[in-house]
Amino acid sequence: QVQLVESGGGLVQAGGSLRLSCAASGRTMSTYVVAWFRQAPGKEREFVGAVTKNGLSTRYADSVKGRFTISRDNAKNTVYLQMNSLKPEDTAVYCCAATLNIVVFTTASRYDYWGQGTQVTVSS
C-alpha cells in the first residue's frame, strides 16, 4: 500500500506560479498512475490531470490545459504539478491520487489511494 503526501500549496497572486509535489512512501511510485484532483468550497471534486506510470503520457482537464504540467520523478518517488498563469478560479484544495490500473482515469472513484491535500489560494 502506498501513502501519499502533498506539499507546495500556498497563497499566490493571479498570474503567478506554484509547484505542488506528491511524495509517495510504502511502495514504489512507478507502479501507479497518479492523478491530481481539486475541490473548491461548495463545488464537486474536479479532475485536474494525470500521468502514466512511465511519465510518457499525460492528460489534463480543459480548464488547466496549457497552464498546468504534470511530471514525475520515479527515482524520487514524487509526482509534480507545475501550475502557471494561475487564476482565482484555481483556488481549491489539491489532492494527488494513485491507482495500480494502467489506464488514466478522470473519475475520482477509480483511484484507490489519496493524499490529505494542500490548499492553493489565488488572489485577484
Side-chain angles (χ1 to χ4, degrees):
Q1 191 167 348
V2 67
Q3 291 80 46
L4 304 174
V5 178
E6 302 92 339
S7 61
L11 174 64
V12 64
Q13 288 189 331
S17 298
L18 280 175
R19 188 177 80 157
L20 306 184
S21 299
C22 173
S25 62
R27 193 166 175 176
T28 303
M29 200 171 212
S30 61
T31 60
Y32 296 90
V33 166
V34 177
W36 287 93
F37 288 82
R38 66 186 182 185
Q39 187 165 21
K43 294 190 176 181
E44 297 281 326
R45 184 181 293 173
E46 175 187 21
F47 172 80
V48 175
V51 60
T52 54
K53 297 182 183 184
N54 59 12
L56 295 182
S57 182
T58 53
R59 183 173 179 177
Y60 298 96
D62 288 343
S63 58
V64 307
K65 205 172 290 184
R67 300 188 298 123
F68 290 12
T69 303
I70 295 176
S71 61
R72 66 191 301 161
D73 186 339
N74 286 336
K76 295 183 177 179
N77 256 10
T78 303
V79 171
Y80 304 98
L81 177 65
Q82 177 66 43
M83 305 185 295
N84 299 329
S85 302
L86 282 161
K87 305 175 182 179
E89 52 263 44
D90 294 319
T91 295
V93 174
Y94 284 71
C95 294
C96 61
T99 177
L100 288 169
N101 202 299
I102 63 172
V103 177
V104 172
F105 295 111
T106 61
T107 304
S109 61
R110 293 286 194 168
Y111 291 84
D112 304 304
Y113 307 100
W114 291 79
Q116 82 289 349
T118 185
Q119 176 71 46
V120 171
T121 303
V122 184
S123 63
S124 57

